Amino acid sequence: MEEDGGDAKVGMLESFMRNQQNSLKSLFHRKKSSTGRDGDGSPSPIASPKPIPQLSLLANSVVSRCSIILKIPTQDLQHRFDVELPESVKQLLTYARNFLEFCSFQALHQVMKQPNYLSDQEFRQLMFDMMLAWETPSVTSENEIKDAVSPSTQDSEDEDGWSLFYSSPTTMAMQVDEKKSVGQEAFARIAPVCPAIADAITVHNLFDALTSSSGHRLHFLVYDKYIRTLDKIFKAAKSSLGPSAASLQLSKGEIVLDMDGANPVLPVLKHVGISAWPGKLTLTNCALYFDSMGGGDKPMRYDLTEDTKQVIKPELTGPLGARIFDKAIMYKSIIVPEPVYFEFTEFKGNARRDYWLGICLEILRVQWFIRKYNFKGIQRSEILARAILGIFRYRAIKEAFQVFSSQYKTLLIFNLAESLPGGDMVLEALYNRVSRITTDVQSDVSSVQYMKWPSKLSPVSLILLEHFGLNLETGTNMGEEMIIVGDFCVGETSPLEIALKQSILDTDRAEAAQATVEQVKVEGIDTNVAVMKELLLPFIKLALRIKVLASWQEPYKSTVFVILVSYLIISGWIGFILPLILLLVAMVMLWRKQFNKGKEPKAVRVKAPPSKNAVEQLLILQDAISQFESLIQAVNVGLLKIRAITLAILPQATDTSAISLVIVAVILAVVPVKYLITIAFVEWFTREVGWRKASSDRLERRVREWWFRVPAAPVQLIRADESKKKK
């Protein structure tokens, strides 16, 4: 920057910038340009600005660079902020941060119009400085941080914390520049303004992935490596549209997102039935393509855009159709004769398969989202572009840091919405945002768009893709002259972010609950049966007590019980029993909530069964399977006998059944239901009474003998044609 003589504050600012450039940490950070340049690299006509008293030194530095990019003096930017924005964002405690956002949002949108801005080191440094300044925007916050770092702490770091022996150069650089790191809140506020770098839905998960080994603080070297890798992926995606994808015969607006299997050592194996072919798998925003190695056949295309009941899920594969290796994904739809399995061979783990499963599901789900809300034209392309950018970010993290996300930490937008509690609310907020996207945005760009939620938004993700040479939409004006109006408001939180924060809170509860579930899972059939018996013990005791009453071992108690239940049924009070039980349970739950606050829940004490070796466990499992098979056989025999009676295979049994059904129908039509229930209860409960026991046993024997004489309807098993399977 040129000297602006005479002003002491300006001199102090310039001295600070020179000291920063000449410090030891400049070994690990590239020096900032001392001359302000605008987007096309020409010297800026804006003179060196005066620092704003409310801002910290770093915030003043960021604002001055923003004014150079916008070609607007800092005083004019501050005047616009004071005049045009509402009073709610100009409060004393938030003035500095909101003004910093006001300048940063406009500058980033201006820079995003330039090609290859991710390759520009000054852009990467400026955006990181915006995050640093967001954390300490005012002079007060800057002084608080300085006071928090005492000299004794610094001395101890010099003596103990610094070492020439680090696990990696990146770790060494991060420890040298430990003070210059960014927190999650600052990253989540600034990074999504540039859709190539982050998305508002997955920005928190992206931050977790970038800071997984740095104490939840983002360092410049990690951030810079991520941006540079992302830039390489954009350039690789553009080059993949050339000769390498010529055999695929891509349609207009179809972009190659990733391909795998070109290496003959690690191909992708396609399994159909018992046959397998090695080849190359390619994913676009519309379909999956499989190109067999050494064959002149046209690549197979599996369309992901149509509603054909498509299913993509992880699956086991192996030679000759065996299910051995957990390294494949299955694709199935109503237009594919039988499921297709794509096996990703690798020597250890299944990370390669998991990555492809994630990106394939992302495209499948974004196409479902488009069909659900019937998006057309520019809105359809914008939502596709958003999903494509998410896949590119996922690739960048995987290639730069070998980080693979879990279910709740995925970097893919629609996969995350599918797994998050309340993810449907996030998608609803996303729909409301996408429905406001249009190309008819006002050309008069001013700070007004940052003071309230705009009614019309630009297709920012789509514009960004086209700047990188990846075209989804044709016939629209997406040139540099198009205005970028994003869904960002100074000092405010968007409805999408509000829905996401609530979903994240619910996710934390879900993860905590899932952790307790994993802790209480036990192994072994006998052990699980013992746990179940202990949990159901109150109901088991109640059932045993009713069984004792029904056996009439204590005639007085049994008589009182049958008279009481019969009276409740006849008088109609039986309908209030269930509501009363539910009310009592609710009262007990509330009472325990009130008096058990802060107390550890008592663990269920279960007497573990004797330990058994592997052979004994297998015998128990075999016995359980045999019993289950016998139960299924008995049910099938009963159903076949009912079919035989219905089809009159045994006429005598059919006559008896028909007469019985007529009698029951007449009784149901004449006698009130409450009396029928009372009669059925008394009949069942008094079977063991001495004067009824003999006749009850005799009747039960006659019914059983009649049932045994009923033949089963015939069954014919049709085996599948094995010759078709081998094709």
Side-chain angles (χ1 to χ4, degrees), residues 513-522:
Q514 191 61 31
T516 61
V517 170
E518 296 298 329
Q519 291 176 359
V520 299
K521 285 183 178 179
V522 294

Side-chain angles (χ1 to χ4, degrees), residues 541-575:
K541 288 183 176 180
L542 178 62
L544 292 176
R545 185 59 185 166
I546 294 176
K547 187 177 180 180
V548 169
L549 291 173
S551 65
W552 292 82
Q553 296 178 8
E554 300 176 355
Y556 175 74
K557 293 182 179 180
S558 299
T559 303
V560 172
F561 180 76
V562 71
I563 293 174
L564 178 61
V565 174
S566 300
Y567 172 75
L568 291 175
I569 295 173
I570 295 174
S571 62
W573 284 95
I574 194 69

Side-chain angles (χ1 to χ4, degrees), residues 587-631:
M587 292 175 62
V588 171
M589 291 167 62
L590 294 175
W591 180 82
R592 288 191 175 277
K593 174 190 173 184
Q594 184 66 28
F595 291 97
N596 290 352
K597 284 183 178 179
K599 297 180 181 179
E600 288 290 334
K602 293 183 179 179
V604 179
R605 300 176 64 87
V606 180
K607 185 177 180 181
S611 59
K612 294 180 174 58
N613 56 35
V615 176
E616 291 174 326
Q617 293 275 6
L618 288 175
L619 291 176
I620 293 175
L621 179 61
Q622 183 182 7
D623 183 56
I625 293 174
S626 299
Q627 293 181 12
F628 184 66
E629 183 183 8
S630 300
L631 177 62

Side-chain angles (χ1 to χ4, degrees), residues 226-281:
Y226 162 65
I227 302 296
R228 286 187 282 109
T229 307
L230 189 60
D231 184 47
K232 293 178 182 177
I233 287 173
F234 278 114
K235 293 176 180 177
K238 182 179 180 181
S239 64
S240 67
L241 297 177
S244 59
S247 62
L248 302 180
Q249 299 179 1
L250 302 179
S251 59
K252 288 185 178 180
E254 197 167 2
I255 296 174
V256 175
L257 305 181
D258 206 349
M259 58 179 61
D260 198 352
N263 185 357
V265 179
L266 292 174
V268 176
L269 297 179
K270 174 185 173 182
H271 296 262
V272 179
I274 62 173
S275 303
W277 303 270
K280 180 176 67 174
L281 189 66

